[in-house]
Amino acid sequence: MNPIEPILDRTGVVILDGALATELERRGADLRDPLWSAKILLEDPDLIRQVHHDYYAAGADIVTTASYQATLPGLMRRGLSAEQAADVLRLSVRLAEEAREAFLPSPSGRGAGGEGGTIPDLDIIEGASALTPNPSPKGRGGPDIRLIAASIGCYGAYLADGSEYRGDYGLTATQLRDWHRPRVEILGSSGADLLACETIPCLLEAEALVTLLADFPQTPAWLSFSCKDDRHLCHGEPLRRAVELANASPNVVAVGVNCTAPRFVEGLLASVADIARKPLLVYPNSGEAWDPGQRAWRSGVGEPDWSAYVRRWHGAGARVLGGCCRTTPATIRLIADALRTL
């Protein structure tokens, strides 16, 4: 039921990938669109596959699919039928599977097929496609395990107005549950190893997701929240309440925060360390702020010292670590290298 346990048992930590959308932009993709990174599923799926491959090469144990902003209503607004939209969601998983098959000489994990192979380097970004494959922390022994998490973005991601950092949807838990159901059903049966329910800004949406997941008892998932400070979700509820919710859900295999400024992460971990019964995960952004009006990240902070940060986060209890917006394969290599020395 818990696909991350074998990695935790072997290495003590699980390394996540980094940003997808901002990494696609770094490689020339134009994401000025309500579909954001999901736009590239329609226009240039090979680029998505390459980014997944580069994160595996950087040392990621898990890559997350390009389905964060891919929803049936959003895709159908572009003229796709319901079945075509569902096929786009399945494509997001297949691209990650193909990247894994190309990366691993003998694919393992959930049994990705194929004989292995190579994906040509793009030679676009120094330190990205040209990465020498990085082993996971503390070595492995035995067959390599690389997993795929199918992204379930929050309702605010569909709105594309920045409300994933507010949570002021004006919907009931039942409405949110019903809205999420088709995508959970499609991605839960897609062949992905688990679901990544991520950037959740409010407890109400988490309650809706946990209730929905109970209808799919064989589908593991993690819950990850966007937070506004070192104690609270973006909507204002304490992270502790979200962790208590995760503790009670058999589906939830890890819980934590993402797309949150790195400076808040240590306090957030400390605020729940005494009650967490699931592995704690963190994959923050680079510390910049999203401007929904300009559809751009506001700079003003220097590059975080990822090596120092992840050592502190590990010391505060995090066992599943990676990056979110504005992080890169090079960032994940730094994280993996730092955790290997613990």
Side-chain angles (χ1 to χ4, degrees):
M1 177 63 178
N2 187 343
I4 71 173
E5 278 185 355
I7 303 174
L8 283 172
D9 290 345
R10 187 173 299 161
T11 69
V13 292
V14 175
I15 307 299
L16 304 179
D17 60 0
L20 180 62
T22 56
E23 182 63 14
L24 291 170
E25 287 181 317
R26 230 167 57 97
R27 301 185 189 203
D30 182 356
L31 304 189
R32 291 172 295 180
D33 189 279
L35 288 177
W36 203 31
S37 57
K39 171 177 180 271
I40 309 304
L41 288 168
L42 304 176
E43 296 180 353
D44 191 1
D46 289 346
L47 183 58
I48 293 173
R49 185 193 301 111
Q50 181 69 55
V51 173
H52 290 326
H53 182 274
D54 290 345
Y55 277 122
Y56 280 134
D61 297 303
I62 304 178
V63 301
T64 305
T65 63
S67 52
Y68 174 77
Q69 211 145 346
T71 65
L72 297 185
L75 291 164
M76 291 169 68
R77 269 199 316 235
R78 298 293 288 268
L80 278 68
S81 68
E83 187 53 40
Q84 288 171 329
D87 284 342
V88 171
L89 292 175
R90 297 183 188 105
L91 171 63
S92 72
V93 176
R94 189 163 71 249
L95 293 171
E97 289 175 333
E98 290 170 357
R100 177 171 64 182
E101 290 166 12
F103 177 73
L104 292 177
S106 299
S108 56
R110 273 198 75 188
E115 297 298 322
T118 60
I119 293 180
D121 288 344
L122 292 181
D123 275 341
I124 294 176
I125 302 296
E126 181 179 359
S129 294
L131 283 173
T132 301
N134 199 13
S136 291
K138 299 185 180 178
R140 287 187 178 275
D144 205 347
I145 300 173
R146 303 291 168 119
L147 303 178
I148 296 166
S151 177
I152 301 289
C154 62
Y155 179 74
Y158 160 69
L159 297 177
D161 63 357
S163 57
E164 62 258 62
Y165 305 110
R166 300 191 308 269
D168 51 351
Y169 303 149
L171 299 181
T172 66
T174 298
Q175 289 172 318
L176 287 168
R177 184 189 65 213
D178 292 345
W179 186 87
H180 277 292
R181 181 179 293 277
R183 185 163 53 162
V184 167
E185 187 168 12
I186 292 165
L187 291 176
S189 61
S190 66
D193 298 286
L194 71 164
L195 303 181
C197 300
E198 53 185 352
T199 327
I200 305 167
C202 58
L203 193 66
L204 184 69
E205 187 164 22
E207 292 169 347
L209 284 163
V210 165
T211 302
L212 174 59
L213 287 168
D215 293 340
F216 303 90
Q218 301 307 310
T219 301
W222 76 57
L223 294 180
S224 189
F225 297 85
S226 60
C227 296
K228 66 178 182 178
D229 57 29
D230 62 358
R231 291 291 185 277
H232 301 93
L233 311 187
C234 285
H235 191 253
E237 301 91 346
L239 179 63
R240 287 178 69 88
R241 292 181 61 190
V243 169
E244 289 169 346
L245 183 69
N247 285 343
S249 171
N251 294 80
V252 175
V253 299
V255 61
V257 301
N258 78 290
C259 218
T260 295
R263 66 184 182 277
F264 297 141
V265 170
E266 198 167 359
L268 287 161
L269 289 168
S271 75
V272 299
D274 62 324
I275 62 167
R277 299 204 303 268
K278 308 288 177 80
L280 290 172
L281 65 82
V282 296
Y283 51 115
N285 58 39
S286 64
E288 296 162 290
W290 175 249
D291 184 334
Q294 298 297 318
R295 296 192 64 78
W297 289 91
R298 294 200 304 265
S299 59
V301 298
E303 177 71 10
D305 184 344
W306 290 103
S307 296
Y309 265 135
V310 296
R311 290 188 182 100
R312 295 210 305 270
W313 299 337
H314 183 273
R319 292 298 178 265
V320 185
L321 303 99
C324 201
C325 294
R326 309 283 278 185
T327 62
T328 70
T331 308
I332 299 309
R333 166 154 289 199
L334 286 172
I335 289 171
D337 286 345
L339 293 172
R340 189 179 300 108
T341 62
L342 293 175

